[in-house]
Amino acid sequence: MTRGSKKLFRMAGMLSIIAVLSYAGWQLTRTDPQPVELVSAERGIVEATVINTRAGTIKACRRARLSPATGGQIISLPIREGDRVESGQVLLELWNVDLAAQKELSKQQFVTAVSQQREACILAENAKRESIRTQQLVARGFVSSQRADDADAAAQARHAACAAAAAEVERARAQIAVVQASLERTVLIAPFAGIIAQVTGELGEYVTPSPQGIPTPPAVDLIDDSCLYVSAPMDEVDAPKIRVGQVARILIDALPGRTFEGHVRRIAPFVTEIEKQARTVDVEAEFINNYTDTLLVGYSADVEVIVDQRENVLRIPTQVIRQNNKVLILGPDDKLEERTLVTGLGNWVFTEVLEGLNESEQVLFASDGVEVTAGTHVTPKSTQP
């Protein structure tokens, strides 16, 4: 073997050793692909929504806390809590025997006044005719003019008595109305149809009207549950985006998993300052359908108002977007690549992608708590729908 051949042989051996060591080092430092969950960019609907800052409350469009206008002892209570009543139905009645007697007396006085009016007016007509006849006799010279004057004065007096009797009839009629009004103050009538939420009092108990400035519990709490709405506080920053008539989704804490359709019916014209750091505007959302058999007044609820909506746009789940609108996508060599997106509409579910991502590209959704970055070798564990 020549000197040159020996040199080439030694170089080949060194290269083989280096290759073996490099392979061994690669084997020792190689990491297995990290299993991750991916989600594909797809087309669909993206909405811009605002939601209340604190829990809202389901309320009835009409609710009356009723009490008799006067005090007294309860002698009739034909209702119970939970009963459904019709408009005009008697809910409660106080002892009113004295007023009923006064009404009967007033009716009899009215009858007497009518009879006295009839008598007075008959006498007035007769006196008028007598005065006319006397005037005719004076013209013929059969009686003196003094007799005619007396007859005319008598006729006028009878006419005044007739008018006074008529006034007495009206007074008697008004007296009946006064007693009737007092009677009505002892009877509590349902102003509208609804359900009895609460009854305060029992037969034989006394109720008294509330003194001025001192509220007392109502005798009957009546709710019209045929019309329900949610009153929810919205952050003052979001309030300018909301308009009456906008579509709203209503979520009930007591009925998880269900969404109720509604629309904005009212926006308060002022800001509520409960806490200086949390100023809100009360927004009312009315249910589109009737859920009388499902919902209860007083349930806590959230209102999500849809302020804008776009259809058939490229979207991804909002939770996959990192700081500064960055996402990690699956590259062609199963390594993660970082992209910066230009986004449009979005809410807590989906965000519209304007630039930076193509349809069907897969974005990192979750990595089981393991920190992954751009360049991490991954293997799809599952793909979110």
Side-chain angles (χ1 to χ4, degrees):
M1 180 179 295
T2 64
R3 185 177 180 180
S5 299
K6 290 180 179 180
K7 186 176 181 180
L8 290 174
F9 181 76
R10 286 196 298 270
M11 290 180 64
M14 291 177 65
L15 291 174
S16 298
I17 293 172
I18 292 172
V20 170
L21 292 175
S22 298
Y23 178 77
W26 177 76
Q27 287 288 346
L28 292 174
T29 59
R30 187 184 67 170
T31 57
D32 294 331
Q34 176 64 42
V36 294
E37 296 181 25
L38 303 173
V39 60
S40 298
E42 60 180 10
R43 293 195 171 273
I45 298 176
V46 176
E47 300 168 336
T49 61
V50 295
I51 195 166
N52 46 287
T53 57
R54 297 189 305 276
T57 303
I58 294 181
K59 299 182 178 181
C61 297
R62 291 191 296 180
R63 181 173 186 172
R65 295 171 174 85
L66 307 170
S67 291
T70 186
Q73 185 182 26
I74 301 174
I75 62 169
S76 177
L77 191 62
I79 57 168
R80 294 184 299 176
E81 294 179 357
D83 287 351
R84 289 201 170 272
V85 297
E86 299 297 328
S87 177
Q89 183 173 333
V90 174
L91 307 179
L92 176 149
E93 187 175 0
L94 303 180
W95 184 86
N96 54 17
V97 176
D98 56 341
L99 294 175
Q102 288 182 24
K103 182 178 180 181
E104 188 62 30
L105 177 60
S106 297
K107 287 182 177 180
Q108 295 302 322
Q109 291 174 342
F110 175 75
V111 172
T112 301
V114 169
S115 298
Q116 291 174 346
Q117 178 196 20
R118 183 181 178 188
E119 178 187 6
C121 291
I122 290 174
L123 293 175
E125 288 295 326
N126 185 60
K128 182 179 180 180
R129 289 192 295 270
E130 182 64 24
S131 175
I132 293 173
R133 287 193 295 267
T134 303
Q135 293 291 342
Q136 292 172 350
L137 292 174
V138 170
R140 296 178 184 179
F142 293 140
V143 295
S144 65
S145 58
Q146 181 62 42
R147 178 73 178 273
D149 291 342
D150 292 342
D152 183 62
Q156 291 183 26
R158 291 294 184 181
H159 180 74
C162 176
E168 181 61 23
V169 169
E170 294 304 317
R171 189 205 65 80
R173 181 180 285 112
Q175 181 63 31
I176 294 175
V178 169
V179 177
Q180 179 62 35
S182 298
L183 273 171
E184 291 176 357
R185 289 165 64 89
T186 66
V187 180
L188 197 59
I189 303 295
F192 51 81
I195 188 169
I196 303 298
Q198 185 177 11
V199 177
T200 303
E202 296 291 344
L203 284 175
E205 291 185 348
Y206 283 82
V207 295
T208 57
S210 299
Q212 187 173 2
I214 304 177
T216 58
V220 177
D221 189 358
L222 178 62
I223 295 177
D224 178 9
D225 57 354
S226 63
C227 173
L228 301 177
Y229 70 95
V230 176
S231 178
M234 297 288 183
D235 193 286
E236 62 177 345
V237 176
D238 296 326
K241 307 173 187 176
I242 304 174
R243 297 288 183 273
V244 173
Q246 286 178 332
V247 176
R249 285 189 288 263
I250 302 173
L251 308 174
I252 311 298
D253 293 343
L255 302 171
R258 293 191 61 180
T259 301
F260 299 87
E261 297 180 353
H263 61 82
V264 177
R265 59 169 252 168
R266 177 181 174 272
I267 304 170
F270 60 91
V271 176
T272 302
E273 185 182 357
I274 297 178
E275 299 176 6
K276 292 185 178 180
Q277 303 301 323
R279 302 190 182 196
T280 58
V281 176
D282 288 337
V283 173
E284 296 177 0
E286 186 174 12
F287 292 91
I288 293 178
N289 298 315
N290 189 333
Y291 298 103
T292 301
D293 298 334
T294 304
L295 304 179
L296 297 178
V297 174
Y299 269 162
S300 60
D302 294 321
V303 176
E304 185 180 11
V305 180
I306 301 173
V307 297
D308 197 359
Q309 185 183 75
R310 295 178 186 172
E311 298 182 357
N312 195 32
V313 297
L314 190 63
R315 68 181 189 180
I316 57 174
T318 300
Q319 70 182 78
V320 307
I321 301 177
R322 301 189 171 197
Q323 191 174 8
N324 299 323
N325 278 0
K326 295 184 182 298
V327 295
L328 294 175
I329 70 166
L330 183 65
D333 55 354
D334 289 339
K335 290 184 179 181
L336 296 178
E337 298 178 359
E338 189 175 71
R339 294 266 187 92
T340 301
L341 306 180
V342 177
T343 59
L345 284 183
N347 58 20
W348 58 281
V349 180
F350 289 108
T351 297
E352 177 187 11
V353 178
L354 301 177
E355 296 179 11
L357 199 62
N358 297 318
E359 188 173 355
S360 298
E361 282 192 302
Q362 293 184 310
V363 183
L364 176 68
F365 183 82
S367 58
D368 293 338
V370 178
E371 182 66 24
V372 293
T373 60
T376 301
H377 187 212
V378 298
T379 181
K381 182 174 66 172
S382 64
T383 301
Q384 295 295 319

